[in-house]
Amino acid sequence: KNRLLLIRRKYPPYEGRYALPGGFVEYGETTEHAALRELREETGVRADALYLIGVYSDPRRDPRFHTVSIAYFTRVTSVAAVAGDDAASASFVTEWQGLDLAFDHARIVERGRHDELLARDGLYASLYREQFSDEARGMTGAMAGTRPCASCSS
C-alpha cells in the first residue's frame, strides 16, 4: 500500500536519482502505447488501463533539450519490478514522500496524488473504480521530446 514505482536513473542528467519510469515516443506510436512500453522496458512491470494525470511542457524541465511529458496513472498487472533499459534499478518505494526526484517528477507525483484523492472523494469515482485497484497503482510517463533539427529555425 502507498508504494510508488520508481527507477534510479542510470545515465545523466540526474544519474542515480529516483525518477518516474518513462521515455521517448517512437515515430508512429501513441503516447499510451509508449507509456506502457517504457514501463515494461524500464521496470519489467506490465499494466493495462491508463488514466491521464497531465501534460508537462516547461522548456526548462529537462536540461538536455525541450521535452514534453504526458503522465499517466496505471493499474499494475505484474508487481515484480526489475531494472532494464535505462534504469539502474527499479522498485516499488514505500518511503517516497520527500524524495528528491529527477526533473519535475515531484510535481507530477503531487498532481497524481491530488487526482487520486479527488477520485476517492467521488469526482472521478466511476472511472477510477473501474480502472484502478487499491492494491496496485503506479505512475508512468511517456515523454515526447522536441529536438533541434537542421531544417528547423530557432
Side-chain angles (χ1 to χ4, degrees):
K1 276 251 183 208
N2 202 23
R3 299 177 304 158
L4 181 63
L5 179 58
L6 296 172
I7 63 155
R8 281 209 188 255
R9 290 188 50 83
K10 189 187 284 187
Y11 304 110
Y14 305 108
E15 182 176 356
R17 296 249 305 263
Y18 279 115
L20 296 171
F24 294 100
V25 177
E26 295 176 358
Y27 184 78
E29 183 178 42
T30 67
T31 59
E32 295 85 356
H33 184 268
L36 295 171
R37 176 183 51 76
E38 286 289 343
L39 178 65
R40 187 179 62 253
E41 287 176 3
E42 287 196 352
T43 68
V45 171
R46 295 188 180 275
D48 50 23
L50 296 174
Y51 170 74
L52 181 66
I53 294 172
V55 177
Y56 299 86
S57 62
D58 184 337
R60 299 171 305 243
R61 63 182 304 278
D62 187 326
R64 298 168 295 185
F65 42 78
H66 186 187
T67 303
V68 175
S69 284
I70 302 170
Y72 297 96
F73 269 128
T74 186
R75 180 175 58 205
V76 174
T77 57
S78 65
V79 294
V82 178
D85 202 27
D86 296 334
S89 68
S91 60
F92 287 92
V93 178
T94 54
E95 302 294 325
W96 55 267
Q97 296 90 343
L99 287 176
D100 187 20
L101 301 179
F103 304 102
D104 58 354
H105 291 187
R107 180 175 171 224
I108 294 170
V109 169
E110 184 59 34
R111 173 59 193 257
R113 292 287 296 150
H114 177 260
D115 285 0
E116 179 183 15
L117 294 175
L118 289 176
R120 286 185 181 175
D121 288 342
L123 183 60
Y124 302 118
S126 60
L127 171 69
Y128 194 81
R129 280 193 207 108
E130 178 182 319
Q131 293 187 0
F132 303 98
S133 69
D134 286 335
E135 294 78 37
R137 270 193 302 275
M139 287 188 205
T140 188
M143 298 180 196
T146 57
R147 300 176 187 233
C149 65
S151 62
C152 302
S153 60
S154 25

